Amino acid sequence: MAPKHAFHSSMLITQPEMLLERRDTATLVACGAPRSMTSLIAFVLYEMGEFIGSELHRRNLEDQEVLRAIMFNVAVENQAERVRDPETFEKLVKKRNAEHARWGFKIPDAIFRLPGILPQLRNPIVIATVRNPLSTAKSVITRNPAVKGGLEAAFAKAQRANAVTEGLIKERPCPAMIINMDVAMAKPLIFLKEFSEALGVSADVEGLAEKISKKDYQTPAVRPSVTFHQKAWPKE
């Protein structure tokens, strides 16, 4: 019987054998609670040469094309698990499948829409960030003291994201790399070695570890095929 999971120093991998089988033609979905350090995952993927979109927000590297297709920009009742524009998302996925053997995107709130997203993707692998919810809530409030719902809402959202991550372990809808971000930041070289090995990527992990160890590391390398945006598409 194939193992259900494999523990590593910085992550838990669910369905490791299936991950190995599909990783070369996978769609990587980087997601997690807001302020759970999904931007670090996106930066690492980008610096390792992965395609994570041609229109990216300059600071958080969110894929603006995917964002427009799946996220609502106003409050919509019962919108969790729903995709805003299924037709556009389907066309975008087909285009990227044709252009890339493996590709991915980073949208934190995709963690709450996985039931609507995963069936549309080729060989999905979820990369979910997990962080102490108190640390996540503190980061949210520190960044924006006037955030809607305040500390209680920020903490509750972090807890909800962790509950969805529990579902990735229990229900196993697809292989997942569940990253312990506290360990990833405390031991970046170990994290990067495990991350690159899991995805089968040859990368300068020592140089990348040095980059992400700096406070202001989020300055992605320029690529002719990528346009960076200062302003993100408005989300809910």
Side-chain angles (χ1 to χ4, degrees), residues 75-91:
V76 177
E77 187 178 0
N78 298 323
Q79 65 171 277
E81 301 186 3
R82 290 176 54 193
V83 173
R84 175 178 178 267
D85 188 342
E87 184 177 349
T88 296
F89 186 55
E90 182 181 3
K91 289 180 180 178

Side-chain angles (χ1 to χ4, degrees), residues 11 43 45 56 61 75 78 106 114 151 156 165 172 187 197 202 208 214 220-221 233:
M11 69 186 71
F43 181 80
L45 288 171
L56 302 177
L61 299 183
N78 298 323
K106 171 256 182 175
L114 293 178
L151 174 61
T165 304
R172 300 189 299 279
K187 301 177 180 179
E197 182 178 341
S202 178
L208 191 49
K214 297 176 181 178
W233 186 81

Side-chain angles (χ1 to χ4, degrees), residues 210-221:
E210 184 177 352
K211 282 185 180 180
I212 67 174
S213 296
K214 297 176 181 178
K215 184 176 181 180
D216 191 23
Y217 66 86
Q218 290 169 279
T219 305

Side-chain angles (χ1 to χ4, degrees), residues 13-23 125 175-177 198:
I13 296 179
T14 68
Q15 303 184 82
E17 289 190 4
M18 184 182 291
L19 184 146
L20 185 62
E21 291 171 359
R22 64 169 53 178
R23 68 183 184 185
I125 295 174
M177 299 166 62

Side-chain angles (χ1 to χ4, degrees), residues 34-122:
R35 307 302 294 167
S36 65
M37 307 184 76
T38 53
S39 293
L40 184 142
I41 299 300
F43 181 80
V44 168
L45 288 171
Y46 184 90
E47 291 296 305
M48 286 183 170
E50 299 292 329
F51 179 84
I52 59 170
S54 56
E55 293 185 33
L56 302 177
H57 187 275
R58 182 170 296 279
R59 291 294 296 174
N60 60 33
L61 299 183
E62 289 185 6
D63 185 330
Q64 300 301 290
E65 289 183 289
V66 172
L67 190 64
R68 288 192 291 268
I70 72 172
M71 295 294 292
F72 293 84
N73 62 349
V74 294
V76 177
E77 187 178 0
N78 298 323
Q79 65 171 277
E81 301 186 3
R82 290 176 54 193
V83 173
R84 175 178 178 267
D85 188 342
E87 184 177 349
T88 296
F89 186 55
E90 182 181 3
K91 289 180 180 178
L92 180 60
V93 168
K94 287 182 178 180
K95 180 176 184 291
R96 293 196 178 174
N97 286 345
E99 294 174 347
H100 305 280
R102 177 167 74 188
W103 63 279
F105 58 87
K106 171 256 182 175
I107 306 289
D109 273 10
I111 191 75
F112 302 115
R113 290 176 169 76
L114 293 178
I117 293 172
L118 295 182
Q120 308 300 320
L121 302 179
R122 178 188 64 195

